[in-house]
């Protein structure tokens, strides 16, 4: 694959980076990223993934835009209120870069449909808001051999973890949280609140990690950091990193699988 002169101009500031270069930019153009959940995390992550030159994006979200979303979900505007998030996100992407290949789904992701919704992705970025959905996505990623970036945010704290549970020595998301969760077993920003800029920091950091995953083996942007959970603190501010060990008894990626 080669880049047109217009694409070379668009991504010139990437290409001059030795850690990306022309080969890295071509790899980004060839890549497919699935973004599950287009809310506080998925919205800014999607903007920076598109801006980076990721060529194909699969968008999954069954929700509609509410006026209360606009405080942190920066991809949407007042005119999107009442419309589906996936379709609204595709409209933003079409206005931003009409060269992108976009697939959208407004289905609620389940263990049954997750495999088809992430099929063909080089990496999945999950920004959904409940454990049942996150575990369904993680299980599908392990089965398909697709790396997963799982991100969460609330109040003044964000979390971004990189999981490659399909690899023999790496943890999956279920190793991290276990499996004793109900569908509604998550705090919500409606109850606890959230600083909008915190969602932006977490989402953009998740996009950076996704770009690292895509470029691994092609460019020298850095180690994807499998099994590491980065905790972002908006009040200090600062970031700390936790290592997630593979659970030998994990029913998804362990010996019990």
């Amino acid at each position: 694959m080669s880049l047109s002169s217009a694409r070379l101009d668009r991504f010139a500031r990437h290409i001059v980076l030795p850690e990306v270069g022309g080969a890295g930019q071509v790899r980004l153009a060839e890549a497919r990223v699935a973004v599950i959940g287009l809310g506080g995390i998925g919205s800014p992550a999607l903007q920076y993934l598109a801006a980076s030159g990721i060529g194909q994006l699969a968008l999954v979200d069954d929700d509609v835009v509410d006026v209360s979303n606009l405080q942190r979900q920066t991809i949407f505007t007042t005119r999107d209120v009442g419309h589906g998030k996936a379709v609204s996100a595709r409209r933003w992407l079409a206005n931003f870069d009409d060269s992108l290949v976009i697939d959208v789904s407004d289905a609620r992701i389940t263990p049954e449909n997750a495999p088809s919704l992430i099929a063909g992705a080089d990496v999945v970025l999950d920004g959904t808001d409940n454990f049942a959905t996150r575990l369904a996505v993680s299980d599908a990623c392990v089965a398909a051999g697709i790396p997963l970036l799982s991100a969460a945010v609330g109040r003044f704290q964000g979390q971004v973890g990189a999981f490659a549970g399909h690899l023999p020595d790496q943890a999956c998301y279920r190793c991290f949280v276990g499996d004793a969760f109900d569908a509604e077993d998550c705090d919500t920003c409606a109850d606890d609140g959230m600083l909008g800029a915190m969602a932006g920091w977490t989402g953009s950091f998740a996009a950076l990690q996704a770009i690292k995953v895509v470029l691994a083996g092609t460019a020298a942007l850095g180690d994807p950091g499998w099994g590491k959970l980065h905790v972002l603190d908006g009040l200090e501010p600062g970031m700390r990193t936790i290592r997630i060990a593979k659970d030998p008894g994990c029913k998804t990626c362990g010996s019990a699988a």
Side-chain angles (χ1 to χ4, degrees), residues 43-224:
S43 173
L46 185 61
Q47 290 176 302
Y48 278 101
L49 289 171
S52 75
I54 295 290
Q56 300 180 49
L57 292 159
L59 315 180
V60 182
D61 198 308
D62 69 328
D63 201 4
V64 299
V65 180
D66 183 83
V67 68
S68 66
N69 299 151
L70 303 182
Q71 165 257 5
R72 64 199 177 281
Q73 299 179 21
T74 51
I75 208 167
F76 306 121
T77 66
T78 303
R79 74 170 189 166
D80 295 315
V81 172
H83 296 275
K85 289 184 178 180
V87 173
S88 297
R90 179 172 59 184
R91 181 166 53 243
W92 184 91
L93 288 166
N95 290 328
F96 178 74
D97 185 350
D98 60 8
S99 295
L100 300 175
V101 177
I102 311 298
D103 296 320
V104 301
S105 173
D106 60 2
R108 186 168 186 82
I109 200 160
T110 66
E112 290 72 33
N113 66 13
S116 63
L117 293 173
I118 68 169
D122 293 286
V123 60
V124 172
L125 196 162
D126 183 358
T128 55
D129 62 0
N130 67 83
F131 287 115
T133 302
R134 289 175 178 273
L135 288 168
V137 173
S138 175
D139 291 350
C141 285
V142 173
I146 299 173
L148 169 67
L149 290 169
S150 186
V153 64
R155 291 177 58 80
F156 305 100
Q157 186 183 90
Q159 297 181 357
V160 180
F163 299 97
H166 57 286
L167 300 179
D169 57 343
Q170 297 296 339
C172 73
Y173 180 75
R174 192 180 289 273
C175 294
F176 171 43
V177 301
D179 52 22
F181 293 106
D182 296 323
E184 304 304 322
D185 194 10
C186 271
D187 296 331
T188 68
C189 59
D191 295 330
D192 296 339
M194 183 192 302
L195 185 67
M198 195 69 228
W201 183 17
T202 306
S204 60
F205 186 79
L208 172 61
Q209 296 300 93
I211 293 167
K212 283 186 178 181
V213 172
V214 169
L215 291 183
T218 300
L221 189 58
D223 182 356

